[in-house]
Amino acid sequence: MRAALCLSYWEQQTNALLNMWSFQKWANQSGNLNVVEPFAVNSVLGFPSEVLYNLDFSNALHFRDYFDLEHWTEETAKYGIPPLVSWDMFIGHASRKVVVVILVYEVPPGGVYINDDLKKHRECNNELKRFKRSTQSILDHFDFKVIKIVCFASYATNERHLYPTLEEFNSYIIDHDYDDVTLWFSFWRGVQFDRITIDNQIIQRAYDGEANTLAMARTSLRIIEDSKRYVKTVLKADTNGYTAVAFRTTNRKTAMLSHGYSRNKILKYFYNCANNISHVLIELEMTYSCLAIDLGKFGDLTSEKYFDYDSNNTFDGKGTKVFQTALNAVYGNKTVDKYHNDFITAANGIEDSGYIGAMQKTIAENAKCLVVIGGHSSFQRSMIQHHKDRSDCVKYICYEEKL
């Protein structure tokens, strides 16, 4: 079996899905390569070291635990894309000859480096070392043998005449002398002018439109059932009988930083946003409400650290003033720990942040009314899109797509 897999699709859930879709299209355009269904660990799709290094497959979540695999297969088949191959099928039938493909970005000089030549490019060499640390255990355990290593160093440019064609790109990694190989990539960020620059529109990450691609991805039945359990046992509400508050800080914070906002100003901004939640909920006259937020144990770790204390050092380290203010507005008297534990219980003990995040997204999409805070988030745009399929009750607080 000629298989292709990727150590990581780089970003979290929504963007990772767009990147994986680009990879599936690349594989199909490159000779019907079989793409292996990725694992899912804390919103990352791929084959992370947490799974590979420890050979821990039995407890690992897969793409199918986040998303409805059957529906994804049906939708992608409309584009002539074959189904994802399961991990067990891959291990049982994949070629043991491996071509390793390293992709590095924004690290001149650009170019293609093969085998020992990777030592001439520092980031290619560093990325290869990271790749080996993650995969050496699995390669040895299942008798895979690396026969070739290729590194593509690229940088952002709008000048399409500088892009390699698909045929040129593939010529370095698909060798007819080794037709039966496994192609194992490092990080696939998707084909785009500021990502992987290949001159082929079909394989671009959002060529068919971001909304169309995300519509192909339905939530898994497992997450839907756990989301219903949370609504019933924690909110004690009927289906569609509650309001959801979707609060995203990460990308909006990054956008504000790029426009010269100070940390203190950003913290105050989001604190004021959190304070406005209670006013909107009173206006909506809803008895039950749920908070979906990217802070805390199930949120973005970079944002959690950023919001952990303010310039006066008054944050307590267990959450943030922003987080606790939002919790108070939505639930009344609820601690951060209680908030986390309620979701873990509803998920039957799962603590994976991506799984819980998908639960929160599902709860929000099925709410009677949705209150949205933040912006600059494909995860949030997808949430709004799916919610509007069911209800036109959407309220915005501190929400902007572009600054």
Side-chain angles (χ1 to χ4, degrees):
M1 180 177 69
R2 298 176 71 231
L5 64 165
C6 182
L7 200 61
S8 171
Y9 291 105
W10 191 260
E11 291 156 302
Q12 296 186 41
Q13 284 200 43
T14 306
N15 276 307
L17 192 71
L18 293 172
N19 295 338
M20 190 186 82
W21 175 227
S22 169
F23 191 70
Q24 284 188 270
K25 291 187 290 185
W26 167 81
N28 190 54
Q29 292 286 315
S30 302
N32 296 317
L33 295 164
N34 294 283
V35 175
V36 184
E37 179 192 1
F39 292 106
V41 178
N42 294 329
S43 287
V44 175
L45 299 177
F47 300 87
S49 56
E50 296 97 317
V51 176
L52 298 184
Y53 185 79
N54 296 316
L55 305 175
D56 183 16
F57 311 120
S58 59
N59 297 317
L61 297 175
H62 297 76
F63 175 86
R64 68 186 67 202
D65 293 304
Y66 279 17
F67 302 102
D68 184 332
L69 179 60
E70 182 177 349
H71 182 70
W72 179 260
T73 300
E74 291 173 354
E75 291 299 303
T76 56
K78 295 176 182 177
Y79 297 85
I81 306 297
L84 293 167
V85 174
S86 71
W87 175 255
D88 288 342
M89 178 69 74
F90 166 69
I91 290 300
H93 299 279
S95 169
R96 265 38 187 178
K97 293 178 291 189
V98 177
V99 174
V100 173
V101 185
I102 303 296
L103 298 167
V104 298
Y105 309 88
E106 300 301 311
V107 280
V112 183
Y113 301 82
I114 300 174
N115 294 334
D116 288 342
D117 282 347
L118 267 74
K119 296 176 182 177
K120 298 176 181 178
H121 193 291
R122 184 167 66 177
E123 193 53 36
C124 282
N125 197 40
N126 288 341
E127 194 60 50
L128 176 61
K129 290 177 181 177
R130 286 190 282 268
F131 180 90
K132 286 182 175 179
R133 283 197 296 270
S134 295
T135 61
Q136 198 62 59
S137 177
I138 195 78
L139 294 175
D140 291 343
H141 185 76
F142 289 106
D143 297 320
F144 286 101
K145 181 182 179 181
V146 176
I147 62 171
K148 187 177 183 180
I149 303 170
V150 181
C151 179
F152 293 93
S154 62
Y155 49 90
T157 176
N158 281 309
E159 299 182 62
R160 296 193 66 87
H161 69 279
L162 297 176
Y163 296 4
T165 64
L166 179 62
E167 292 73 21
E168 289 169 338
F169 179 85
N170 287 345
S171 68
Y172 294 102
I173 58 178
I174 300 177
D175 190 331
H176 293 295
D177 292 335
Y178 297 103
D179 193 48
D180 183 25
V181 298
T182 292
L183 295 171
W184 200 321
F185 287 73
S186 56
F187 296 95
W188 183 276
R189 293 174 61 179
V191 175
Q192 194 169 289
F193 80 93
D194 57 348
R195 292 171 179 252
I196 303 171
T197 52
I198 300 176
D199 188 12
N200 185 300
Q201 285 194 329
I202 292 175
I203 65 176
Q204 289 187 15
R205 63 196 296 270
Y207 172 65
D208 307 302
E210 179 182 294
N212 290 337
T213 302
L214 297 179
M216 299 193 304
R218 289 180 179 172
T219 306
S220 71
L221 181 60
R222 183 178 184 179
I223 285 176
I224 290 172
E225 291 303 314
D226 288 349
S227 301
K228 289 179 179 178
R229 186 180 300 109
Y230 181 90
V231 171
K232 182 179 180 179
T233 61
V234 178
L235 301 187
K236 302 189 184 305
D238 295 327
T239 303
N240 198 37
Y242 59 92
T243 294
V245 178
F247 199 153
R248 308 295 290 182
T249 64
T250 306
N251 292 340
R252 184 68 186 280
K253 171 205 71 181
T254 301
M256 294 174 77
L257 283 170
S258 69
H259 284 74
Y261 285 73
S262 68
R263 185 167 184 268
N264 193 50
K265 190 172 183 179
I266 291 172
L267 291 169
K268 287 181 178 179
Y269 175 82
F270 281 109
Y271 179 67
N272 290 333
C273 295
N275 267 322
N276 284 328
I277 295 173
S278 56
H279 304 300
V280 176
L281 293 179
I282 290 171
E283 178 187 320
L284 290 172
E285 298 182 342
M286 294 293 292
T287 304
Y288 310 104
S289 53
C290 172
L291 176 66
I293 193 167
D294 63 350
L295 298 176
K297 185 174 183 177
F298 306 127
D300 185 277
L301 294 179
T302 59
S303 264
E304 176 66 6
K305 292 176 181 177
Y306 186 88
F307 282 86
D308 199 35
Y309 56 89
D310 64 12
S311 58
N312 296 317
N313 207 28
T314 57
F315 283 80
D316 63 9
K318 296 180 179 177
T320 67
K321 279 187 175 179
V322 174
F323 193 177
Q324 190 61 62
T325 300
L327 279 176
N328 292 344
V330 175
Y331 295 98
N333 237 352
K334 178 170 285 197
T335 66
V336 171
D337 286 343
K338 176 63 174 170
Y339 172 81
H340 291 152
N341 290 334
D342 282 345
F343 277 104
I344 294 170
T345 300
N348 290 308
I350 292 176
E351 298 187 36
D352 181 89
S353 63
Y355 189 92
I356 302 297
M359 278 181 61
Q360 293 182 355
K361 183 173 183 285
T362 302
I363 293 167
E365 289 171 351
N366 288 280
K368 183 174 183 179
C369 288
L370 176 63
V371 180
V372 187
I373 305 170
H376 291 261
S377 165
S378 56
F379 184 84
Q380 203 168 46
R381 284 196 299 273
S382 174
M383 182 190 298
I384 295 168
Q385 174 190 330
H386 285 97
H387 179 269
K388 285 184 174 179
D389 290 340
R390 301 173 176 87
S391 170
D392 59 0
C393 181
V394 181
K395 302 292 184 181
Y396 297 91
I397 301 174
C398 308
Y399 184 87
E400 288 184 8
E401 275 303 319
K402 293 181 180 179
L403 286 174

